Amino acid sequence: MTTYIFIGKEELEELRAIWREVSQGKEKISLSPEGARILERYLSPLSQKDAVVVAVPLEARLTLEGAAQILGVSRPHLHKLMEEGKIPYHQEGSWKYIQAQDLLEYKERALEEGLKTLRELAEEAQELGLLP
């Protein structure tokens, strides 16, 4: 399983500082509370069998292939979302790109909409006596 984690500039700098200490061969390093939280965020998925964690800088420019992979959708479906204006993109020649920040915002909106729909369906099912 691949986990994509979007990373901001501050987190990236904190990870680089931690890496500098580790790469110098220090047996013990001191972590700030923020550094510990960041490491937990990135290492937690790795505790799952066969997990891979990919950090995506929020400033990154993603190809359609990469963006579709992160969303877990096909490229044609992603293209449709872009053409419908649901995901902003920019075009250079015949290539289209999506900013990682825009993709994350879409992903969060889609999750919120899905949860809202699920709550509405559960409420309707309760009203109909299908759920306790």
Side-chain angles (χ1 to χ4, degrees):
M1 177 176 97
T2 301
T3 302
Y4 294 93
I5 298 175
F6 292 90
I7 181 170
K9 284 182 183 178
E10 295 82 21
E11 286 183 324
L12 185 58
E13 287 306 313
E14 185 73 28
L15 282 174
R16 285 181 177 146
I18 293 168
W19 177 248
R20 280 191 296 275
E21 286 194 43
V22 170
S23 65
Q24 292 173 0
K26 294 184 179 180
E27 290 185 23
K28 289 185 177 183
I29 61 171
S30 57
L31 290 177
S32 66
E34 178 66 10
R37 185 194 65 74
I38 291 168
L39 278 183
E40 179 182 7
R41 180 175 173 213
Y42 295 99
L43 296 177
S44 171
L46 290 176
S47 66
Q48 308 300 315
K49 187 177 181 183
D50 299 326
V52 176
V53 176
V54 178
V56 180
L58 289 172
E59 297 79 24
R61 215 172 56 153
L62 304 170
T63 63
L64 295 191
E65 182 74 29
Q69 227 177 1
I70 290 171
L71 289 180
V73 301
S74 67
R75 279 189 12 204
H77 181 70
L78 176 62
H79 192 267
K80 178 182 171 197
L81 293 171
M82 293 162 51
E83 293 301 319
E84 291 173 349
K86 294 181 180 177
I87 300 176
Y89 68 94
H90 65 277
Q91 190 162 344
E92 293 177 15
S94 62
W95 295 93
K96 294 179 182 178
Y97 296 96
I98 299 172
Q99 290 296 126
Q101 177 73 45
D102 293 332
L103 190 69
L104 175 62
E105 289 170 3
Y106 168 78
K107 192 172 182 177
E108 289 175 351
R109 280 192 317 271
L111 178 61
E112 287 172 14
E113 290 171 11
L115 290 173
K116 179 183 173 194
T117 301
L118 187 58
R119 280 191 294 275
E120 290 170 355
L121 288 172
E123 288 172 7
E124 190 174 318
Q126 282 180 329
E127 290 172 6
L128 295 171
L130 300 173
L131 292 176

